[in-house]
Amino acid sequence: AQSVAQPEDQVKVAEGNPLTVKCTYSVSGNPYLFWYVQYPNRGLQFLLKYITGDNLVKGSYGFEAEFNKSQTSFHLKKPSALVSDSALYFCAVRDMRNGGFKTIFGAGTRLFVKA
Amino acid sequence: ETGVTQSPTHLIKTRGQQVTLRCSSQSGHNTVSWYQQALGQGPQFIFQYYREEENGRGNFPPRFSGLQFPNYSSELNVNALELDDSALYLCASSPGLAGVAYNEQFFGPGTRLTVL
């Protein structure tokens, strides 16, 4: 079955330190992977995606993600965290069955960045 | 460029009632998806519409239904509301053909539905 796992409910880092938010996936076929961020009382905002090509994907607000096929992971990273990065982060995979219309989201990881 | 908008922002209903939620897609987007996000969980796919036809559905009962209009705006209707239907309902639009799997989605702010 297609699925996404975010093993950490929350991640805490100090401002200026690097951050990593973990994601692993299980799909049949090639994975189409996404990261979204959700701020309080807001909808989800797209950060970045992996479709094909370079395993290191760069996205919005200085975020990047590394696709690792052997480990079936797609971890979100940022070299230097900001307090304003504090939010809820979702990893998602596109289910390619039946036309690929369905996006499956992980449960989310809450990021806390302390000043 | 106008983003995805949803109405109403908040809604309180009682069990057994019916509710209609509305969504206006981002300009130029002809595909819209609806998601249910329960508290503390990730969004769960309800269904997707492309050019006024449903072309994909998640594991939700038939009392969840929808419409897409010629201007690509959309409605989500839920009949016979249950307590477990309390959630944030998100609408997301994307450009291009349905099933173009590599398109990211653009989300609205959501409608918070409370069922008492």
Side-chain angles (χ1 to χ4, degrees), chain A residues 41-68:
Chain A
N41 301 315
R42 302 276 295 276
L44 278 66
Q45 295 179 31
F46 168 75
L47 280 178
L48 50 78
K49 64 184 176 183
Y50 173 82
I51 304 302
T52 188
D54 195 352
N55 289 343
L56 184 64
V57 178
K58 293 189 181 297
S60 306
Y61 312 119
F63 284 93
E64 58 189 27
E66 186 171 9
F67 171 67
N68 188 317

Side-chain angles (χ1 to χ4, degrees), chain A residues 32 34 36 38 41-44 46 49 51 88 90 94 96 99-103 105-107, chain B residues 35 37 40-43 45 48 55-57 88 90 99-105 107-109:
Chain A
Y32 286 4
F34 301 80
Y36 288 85
Q38 186 175 33
N41 301 315
R42 302 276 295 276
L44 278 66
F46 168 75
K49 64 184 176 183
I51 304 302
L88 187 56
F90 292 99
R94 196 78 178 188
M96 291 303 295
F101 51 78
K102 181 178 179 179
T103 301
F105 286 86
Chain B
Y35 294 84
Q37 186 179 15
Q41 297 183 21
F45 175 77
Q48 178 175 283
N55 76 329
R57 190 175 184 92
L88 180 68
L90 296 166
V100 180
Y102 50 79
N103 284 333
E104 61 268 27
Q105 294 177 296
F107 284 80

Side-chain angles (χ1 to χ4, degrees), chain B residues 2-45:
Chain B
T2 305
V4 178
T5 60
Q6 292 185 245
S7 62
T9 305
H10 298 86
L11 202 53
I12 299 175
K13 292 285 189 178
T14 56
R15 193 170 48 184
Q17 285 188 312
Q18 179 268 341
V19 68
T20 297
L21 310 182
R22 294 178 175 83
C23 170
S24 291
S25 301
Q26 184 158 319
S27 177
H29 290 186
N30 55 17
T31 302
V32 64
S33 302
W34 284 91
Y35 294 84
Q36 181 195 66
Q37 186 179 15
L39 199 61
Q41 297 183 21
Q44 300 293 314
F45 175 77

Side-chain angles (χ1 to χ4, degrees), chain B residues 16 19 34 41 64-65 69 71 77 79 83 88 90 96-97 100:
Chain B
V19 68
W34 284 91
Q41 297 183 21
F64 285 79
S65 63
F69 301 100
N71 65 355
N77 299 289
N79 293 322
L83 298 180
L88 180 68
L90 296 166
L97 296 172
V100 180

